[in-house]
Amino acid sequence: MKILIGSDHAGYNLKVDIFNYLKEKGYDIEDVGTYSLDSCDYVDYAEKVASGVSAGKAERGILICGTGLGMSIVANKFKSVSAALCTSEYHARKSREHNNSNILVMGGRVTTFEIAKYITDAWFKTPFEGERHNKRLNKLKDIENNNFK
Ligand code: RB5
């Protein structure tokens, strides 16, 4: 499974920790930036990851800014992207089981590395439940098709 990870300056430290954590576990993960603590725009990195996932170049993505809010807002503008801002393991599990999320979003200023590891592990190991959730996701697909080119 190919994974893209990106952050702005506010998510940089947590991104580096999560990147190394996943790399050590053997995940095929690519860091699309930012590569320093210099101030930058979260929009640019959300676009890099979300466009890759949307186009099928990567199966999953991880985005980290200060709160996780900006990254989620941008990522969910891309077709076929379901970006979930998670602050707990429970959010991570449910975002996979119910929402079939394909981008995990976290906030570097609100989530510690210790918690982020639990969130990330839960997110990768939890499958989509399907069944009743497919009907809901199909309604979401209709909205997407009607509102996006
Ligand atoms: C950067 O200061 C901050 O605005 C950004 O990281 C993010 O939290 C935006 O939603």
Side-chain angles (χ1 to χ4, degrees):
M1 181 198 295
K2 170 88 179 172
I3 303 156
L4 297 176
I5 188 168
S7 75
D8 69 355
H9 55 290
Y12 176 76
N13 286 330
L14 181 59
K15 181 195 65 180
V16 170
D17 286 342
I18 290 293
F19 176 83
N20 291 333
Y21 178 66
L22 292 175
K23 197 90 187 159
E24 274 166 28
K25 284 181 166 240
Y27 283 93
D28 176 13
I29 183 163
E30 183 188 341
D31 183 355
V32 301
T34 189
Y35 302 116
S36 79
L37 288 167
D38 294 345
S39 182
C40 62
D41 300 332
Y42 60 84
V43 181
D44 299 335
Y45 300 95
E47 184 179 14
K48 283 176 196 277
V49 169
S51 63
V53 171
S54 180
K57 289 179 187 151
E59 215 173 320
R60 299 279 189 94
I62 300 178
L63 285 166
I64 307 177
C65 60
T67 56
L69 292 168
M71 289 297 198
S72 329
I73 291 165
V74 179
N76 281 311
K77 303 260 183 234
F78 286 79
K79 212 164 183 176
S80 303
V81 163
S82 170
L85 171 55
C86 298
T87 56
S88 69
E89 192 184 341
Y90 184 77
H91 280 112
R93 257 191 297 122
K94 291 301 160 188
S95 84
R96 291 288 311 129
E97 288 173 352
H98 292 193
N99 313 110
N100 200 15
S101 63
N102 52 13
I103 296 187
L104 168 64
V105 186
M106 293 184 285
R109 291 177 177 157
V110 292
T111 298
T112 62
F113 179 43
E114 285 310 304
I115 302 290
K117 280 189 283 190
Y118 287 119
I119 290 173
T120 305
D121 286 344
W123 192 69
F124 277 113
K125 76 167 185 243
T126 307
F128 175 52
E129 268 179 8
E131 298 176 6
R132 69 189 188 281
H133 303 295
N134 276 318
K135 183 176 73 143
R136 294 160 190 172
L137 294 191
N138 286 338
K139 287 186 174 182
L140 187 56
K141 208 21 144 195
D142 288 343
I143 291 174
E144 193 179 78
N145 288 333
N146 289 335
N147 290 286
F148 288 67
K149 337 181 235 173

